Amino acid sequence: MRNKYNIIIISISVMIFCSIVEGQIENTPHDLSAISGGNTCGFCHTPHSAVSGTPLWNHKLSDAVYSIYRSSSLEANVGQPTGSSKLCLSCHDGTIALTETISSGPTGGAYIEPGASNLGTDLSDDHPISFVYSSALAVEDTQLRSPLSLPEQLKLDKTGELQCTTCHDPHNNQYGNFLVMDNRKSGLCESCHNLDGWLSSVHAVSTAVSSFADDFYLQTSDYGTLYENGCNNCHRPHSAGGKERLLHFSQLEENCLNCHSGLVASTDLRTDISKVSSHDITKYHGVHDPRESTTFSVMHVECTDCHNPHSNSNIPVQAPVIPGVMQNVSGVTILGSPTEKAKYEYEVCFKCHGDNTNRISSQITRQITQTNTRLEFDPSNPSYHPVVSSGRSQNVPSLITSMTVTSIIYCIDCHSSDSTSKTKGPHGSINKHLLAGRYETSDFTQESSFSYELCYKCHSRNSILNNESFVKHKEHLDEQIPCSACHDPHGISTAQGTTLNNSHLINFDISIVQADPTTGRLEFEDTGLFHGRCYLKCHNKTHSPGGY
């Protein structure tokens, strides 16, 4: 008798549960009762002859072999779908008719329609599933939270694997897309992902209107601002255009330019990179990788070489400390060691312009040839511009009043947008060598505030023309000899130059300056404060030597 009552109680409980669940599914995309004779649950569940080991599963399972998500920065071991994800894919991979169930057999009915819900058998553009989300994984990937800290809404299966049902509840659509919790401001994403610097980053707190973006996904989002969309401003959990890292677009830069074209962000980078001299991110596709070598990587440039969109901020700092917009980006130290998080701006630049064998070559033929900027800015050099540390000379009378001999500058103080708009940094310029101001290097250049605009940003034109640091500065400039004929703006490596011959950034442009025909020497000698002599021939004048 007791068993009979137990069976009745269990049956009633199941009926009540089914009734509640059916009420939640009603009028959602999972409500297929219209084509099942009013049976809301029947496509997925059956009380009898269900698929073994499943929650009374009725729908025929797919035999498909799936292409799964892969990424160079993925630590999880992702395999073919298992568990509840196999159940979801029996409809959502589009290979099995919706009405093909265990109880009814093949029916030849409709398949899930093409679109966002039809994932197909290529899951390489979808968030990875069916992997063990363990504490060990969270230790290996430090930007994942421990599974022990997951909110109760996010459930792993009994084997500890993350499945479709970790993020989706097929019986409840109160948050849209059957999500288990509200994903406004990335609440769901952040339950697992703990990205360095994200919570205080510009992209996480901006109130800019994201629907203005050149991006259909954002234009049709339920949320209107960047901070509300959060991760979804750049990432798509399903059917992503950029499969690796699940980005909206396959072209990396388009995931930035869709906003940074003056449409959402105030900066118009698309205009800048179209200028004659630029870090043209549109030229390269499928080359960049977050874990690429800083020594042998193929020449390329992408936004994420210099910026981490999860960490950028507007925190004011002083050179050489890395600016907020470049926080948590990898780099190379002045000693040549790779670092995951650059501390100084120049370390980011050294990734491509330092030891990398594919770095760009110089367009000026110098007496001493060096294109490795890490070596050019080494503080042990006989002379260098003060990018890594303050300069060697304690007497630079030409400096403008806001600068002293202890000042340090950024690379981007010289290499930057020429624009007076909010667009800053080395994106694009009308000037050669991606310079913030005009810097003429051709022989017979007429001196003017415009010709050497870049130099005069830090060095007073009046001081230079008044010969305060070199008694023949004005004479040389009046004879239309460019600054670059004598000075190498980055620096001279200590392995190639000396304090006797290469102080004051002296490294002659040998297309303008030739050896002294009398002595055969092409040489500058520093003979003391504001004194020196040269052995050379320039503009048909011979110094054998010429002293000052």
Side-chain angles (χ1 to χ4, degrees), residues 53-64:
T54 68
L56 301 177
W57 196 252
N58 190 28
H59 200 265
K60 185 180 184 302
L61 298 182
S62 174
D63 296 323

Side-chain angles (χ1 to χ4, degrees), residues 421-484:
S421 70
K422 293 183 179 181
T423 303
K424 305 298 181 184
H427 300 111
S429 175
I430 61 172
N431 303 305
K432 293 183 294 184
H433 315 302
L434 231 174
L435 293 172
R438 190 169 178 180
Y439 173 66
E440 291 298 331
T441 59
S442 300
D443 202 4
F444 301 103
T445 293
Q446 178 72 47
E447 190 282 331
S448 70
S449 59
F450 182 59
S451 296
Y452 303 117
E453 176 188 10
L454 184 71
C455 303
Y456 292 147
K457 285 179 63 178
C458 297
H459 297 278
S460 164
R461 182 171 180 245
N462 287 336
S463 175
I464 296 294
L465 297 180
N466 286 330
N467 299 324
E468 292 180 5
S469 51
F470 172 44
V471 296
K472 294 184 180 291
H473 254 151
K474 187 176 189 305
E475 180 181 335
H476 281 71
L477 292 169
D478 285 345
E479 291 188 19
Q480 301 183 357
I481 301 172
C483 303
S484 59

